Amino acid sequence: MLEQQIVNAISLGSVYALFALGFTLIFGILGVINLSHGGIFMLGAYAALLLLTRVNLPFWAALPLAMIGAGLLGLAIDALILKVLRKRGAPHLMPMIATIGAAILMTSLAQGLFGSETRRFPIDLFDQENLTFGSISIPLLQASITGLSVVLMVLMIWILRRTRLGQALRAIAESPRAAALLGIPVERLFHLTSFVAAALGGAAGILIGLSFDAISPFMGQPMLHKGIAAIILGGLEAVRAAVLGGLFLGATEVFAVTFLSSEYRDALSFGLLFLVLLWRPQGLFGAAATRSA
Amino acid sequence: MSAPPPPAAQCLLQVDHLRVAYGHVEAVRDICLEVRTGEMVALVGANGAGKSTTLMTLSGLVRPRSGKILWEGQDITHWSPHQRVIGGLVQVAEGRAILKTLTVLENLQLGAFTQPGTPNITPIFERFPILRQRAHQLAGNLSGGEQQMLALGRALLSQPKLLMLDEPSMGLAPLVVRDIFAILREIHEQGMTILLVEQNVRQALRLADRAYVMETGTFSLSGPARELVDDPRVIAAYLGG
């Protein structure tokens, strides 16, 4: 029983972490709080749904295509909104408000196009088999969700830590101006970051849609709050914080449901957020107020 | 060292009636400047004269209101900052502008970001042995002088044709300033073309071949550095008589 809950916690937590990772990439590198990330998450799920049901693509093809679709949406938001504000040197509040607008636009667009009712992915996407490890048995679906999130996160962290591109991105995260003087094409990497972050957000949307067996135009907003909670819980140290904060949040929710009741789930996790802000403003896992991607 | 250069042909950088404004405040008013291959040119003047704005405009981080920047005869006024670095126009910004959250080695590797292949950092380590010792430390933990050496070493890895330095002596102890200027002289004698912005007028004029004196956005004087050191107007304004 407890083992099963731990598996659930890791599975949910890893998707939260994936969502928060995209969110935090934008924050760390563009220096912008992109409140449309929840909308991209939601549209990513719908894109996969359409590719699966209308185009009849297999899941392994629908997932990357939907991620590319979400990525292009993120790119469009950067090119049409964030870039304009950047060029003007607009204060921090402006991109926040502008992306709230973009999120509302996406939600109502989804309502118009797909209807307000909850939709589901086809049930036969994953075999009903279980993977068994000793006394723990994990449904294939849950194992795939966790596996995909972990692979994407490890890939991102590897790129940021070990590659030339990652070095350039960390340079921009510290100072876009200093990076430009080194010959780093800052604008181009802003676009790339927006694309990748949105693709990760879209992937998270698909995985959450699978995990809860529900897709709706309104799924983005609560997820956005959880993403913000995850990075604050973790400490604003970008990648590591997002991952740890996401896992922690997932665990809190799963155990809240197990030991209290599902009604108290969000109350507990967000209550915890307040406590962290009061007692450990640097986050549970953050060392000091440093910022690095 | 710089032989008397023939005109135009060897003109590396040419700035033509450049004006830069922040809103209604004109920071640079109609300046013309040129740097020829092999020269060390100093741009001196008081704080707020527009020297840093000039360099930022040359690097493409600030857009001019009007005027032209010619690089090896080509109009680069609208090039992006990274295109200029690729072209060989490299700046060490004021305050050293090293990346504090990256290691010394990562900073150096990024210096070679525009260069193809794996960067060869050995010559920089040979010139600045302290950087080799600290290669795996965060650059933010270096002393001021070490940070300036890192910034300089990093810039050299971009293979500059023109190295622009903004106040390399700022905030450093006099002994360290002497070291930095000695290194600049050495780099220049090995053939590097340098545009040096300094508030430390005396030292800059001693080092440079030619100089421009900047006051409230324009050049009040210009000429061979050796003559400017003895110019009564320069002595009165900057060298304290």
Side-chain angles (χ1 to χ4, degrees), chain A residues 62-122:
Chain A
L63 177 77
L65 282 179
M67 280 175 71
I68 291 172
L72 291 176
L73 189 60
L75 191 60
I77 286 169
D78 188 47
L80 299 177
I81 302 174
L82 301 180
K83 185 177 181 172
V84 178
L85 296 174
R86 224 167 24 235
K87 292 271 172 237
R88 205 185 292 157
H92 279 20
L93 211 53
M94 301 268 274
M96 260 173 83
I97 305 293
T99 51
I100 289 177
I104 294 172
L105 184 75
M106 286 187 252
T107 304
S108 87
L109 207 65
Q111 274 179 276
L113 286 173
F114 312 117
S116 298
E117 65 278 12
T118 298
R119 307 275 291 271
R120 288 172 213 298
F121 282 116

Side-chain angles (χ1 to χ4, degrees), chain A residues 41-207:
Chain A
F41 160 90
M42 176 268 299
L43 286 178
Y46 274 105
L49 181 70
L50 289 183
L51 290 166
L52 289 165
T53 56
R54 297 280 169 84
V55 192
N56 286 317
L57 286 179
F59 182 72
W60 59 263
L63 177 77
L65 282 179
M67 280 175 71
I68 291 172
L72 291 176
L73 189 60
L75 191 60
I77 286 169
D78 188 47
L80 299 177
I81 302 174
L82 301 180
K83 185 177 181 172
V84 178
L85 296 174
R86 224 167 24 235
K87 292 271 172 237
R88 205 185 292 157
H92 279 20
L93 211 53
M94 301 268 274
M96 260 173 83
I97 305 293
T99 51
I100 289 177
I104 294 172
L105 184 75
M106 286 187 252
T107 304
S108 87
L109 207 65
Q111 274 179 276
L113 286 173
F114 312 117
S116 298
E117 65 278 12
T118 298
R119 307 275 291 271
R120 288 172 213 298
F121 282 116
I123 43 164
D124 53 355
L125 273 184
F126 288 87
D127 293 335
Q128 299 296 315
E129 283 170 46
N130 285 342
L131 301 176
T132 6
F133 302 97
S135 62
I136 316 169
S137 86
I138 310 170
L140 187 62
L141 170 69
Q142 211 172 20
S144 310
I145 289 171
T146 314
L148 269 170
S149 311
V150 171
V151 165
L152 288 171
M153 281 188 289
V154 169
L155 183 69
M156 286 314 299
I157 291 170
W158 179 78
I159 290 172
L160 283 170
R161 282 287 141 207
R162 291 275 171 264
T163 68
R164 215 165 130 97
L165 172 66
Q167 259 181 11
L169 289 170
R170 284 183 288 132
I172 298 175
E174 186 180 325
S175 163
R177 199 179 172 87
L181 289 179
L182 291 173
I184 295 169
V186 175
E187 271 301 317
R188 221 179 287 163
L189 293 189
F190 278 161
H191 292 325
L192 180 69
T193 302
S194 300
F195 177 87
V196 170
L200 295 177
I206 298 164
L207 298 180

Side-chain angles (χ1 to χ4, degrees), chain B residues 18-30 48-50 53-54 57 62-66 216-218:
Chain B
L18 195 73
R19 286 175 182 274
V20 187
Y22 299 111
H24 293 294
V25 184
E26 215 168 27
V28 173
R29 317 177 194 197
D30 199 26
T53 300
T54 305
T57 312
V62 174
R63 296 265 162 222
R65 176 150 292 180
S66 64
T216 56
T218 71

Side-chain angles (χ1 to χ4, degrees), chain B residues 48-110:
Chain B
K51 306 185 302 294
S52 292
T53 300
T54 305
L55 280 204
M56 283 301 164
T57 312
L58 292 178
S59 277
L61 287 170
V62 174
R63 296 265 162 222
R65 176 150 292 180
S66 64
K68 251 195 228 171
I69 302 167
L70 297 176
W71 175 249
E72 299 183 302
Q74 205 179 349
D75 186 349
I76 62 160
T77 316
H78 300 288
W79 284 21
S80 67
H82 78 269
Q83 285 174 310
R84 299 182 199 211
V85 177
I86 293 169
L89 186 59
V90 176
Q91 180 183 173
V92 176
E94 196 176 28
R96 299 178 279 282
I98 57 147
L99 296 156
K100 297 185 173 61
T101 59
L102 273 64
T103 65
V104 169
L105 183 63
E106 285 177 321
N107 267 277
L108 291 171
Q109 286 167 341
L110 278 173

Side-chain angles (χ1 to χ4, degrees), chain A residues 249-272:
Chain A
L249 189 67
T252 313
E253 294 195 354
V254 167
F255 289 111
V257 174
T258 313
F259 296 115
L260 291 167
S261 89
S262 60
E263 285 80 13
Y264 293 116
R265 192 183 67 184
D266 288 354
L268 190 76
S269 50
F270 283 89
L272 205 71

Side-chain angles (χ1 to χ4, degrees), chain B:
Chain B
M1 289 293 282
S2 55
Q10 298 222 308
C11 201
L12 188 59
L13 175 75
Q14 211 175 341
V15 170
D16 199 16
H17 297 285
L18 195 73
R19 286 175 182 274
V20 187
Y22 299 111
H24 293 294
V25 184
E26 215 168 27
V28 173
R29 317 177 194 197
D30 199 26
I31 60 167
C32 295
L33 165 155
E34 56 181 50
V35 179
R36 297 176 212 120
T37 306
E39 270 189 317
M40 168 142 24
V41 175
L43 181 51
V44 297
N47 200 8
K51 306 185 302 294
S52 292
T53 300
T54 305
L55 280 204
M56 283 301 164
T57 312
L58 292 178
S59 277
L61 287 170
V62 174
R63 296 265 162 222
R65 176 150 292 180
S66 64
K68 251 195 228 171
I69 302 167
L70 297 176
W71 175 249
E72 299 183 302
Q74 205 179 349
D75 186 349
I76 62 160
T77 316
H78 300 288
W79 284 21
S80 67
H82 78 269
Q83 285 174 310
R84 299 182 199 211
V85 177
I86 293 169
L89 186 59
V90 176
Q91 180 183 173
V92 176
E94 196 176 28
R96 299 178 279 282
I98 57 147
L99 296 156
K100 297 185 173 61
T101 59
L102 273 64
T103 65
V104 169
L105 183 63
E106 285 177 321
N107 267 277
L108 291 171
Q109 286 167 341
L110 278 173
F113 184 82
T114 53
Q115 304 302 310
T118 318
N120 177 16
I121 295 169
T122 319
I124 299 301
F125 281 154
E126 274 160 15
R127 198 188 285 273
F128 307 106
I130 188 75
L131 297 182
R132 190 201 297 270
Q133 287 173 33
R134 312 227 163 190
H136 298 287
Q137 294 184 18
L138 289 184
N141 295 338
L142 299 183
S143 73
E146 289 162 0
Q147 289 189 10
Q148 188 57 271
M149 288 178 199
L150 175 58
L152 209 55
R154 192 179 63 178
L156 290 174
L157 282 165
S158 334
Q159 307 291 342
K161 288 179 185 162
L162 171 62
L163 185 60
M164 304 191 289
L165 299 132
D166 195 353
E167 305 267 3
S169 71
M170 194 175 70
L172 298 179
L175 271 178
V176 182
V177 173
R178 212 168 60 187
D179 284 351
I180 297 288
F181 276 101
I183 293 165
L184 287 184
R185 184 189 297 275
E186 193 184 308
I187 293 171
H188 175 52
E189 281 169 1
Q190 287 165 3
M192 180 65 67
T193 312
I194 294 178
L195 177 58
L196 173 67
V197 161
E198 261 301 333
Q199 270 189 73
N200 194 332
V201 178
R202 189 189 302 269
Q203 299 235 37
L205 290 182
R206 216 178 277 158
L207 202 60
D209 303 313
R210 285 192 304 118
Y212 296 86
V213 180
M214 197 163 192
E215 263 171 61
T216 56
T218 71
F219 293 150
S220 55
L221 288 165
S222 66
R226 209 161 308 150
E227 289 170 23
L228 287 174
V229 183
D230 299 324
D231 191 299
R233 288 165 295 179
V234 174
I235 293 171
Y238 302 104
L239 304 179

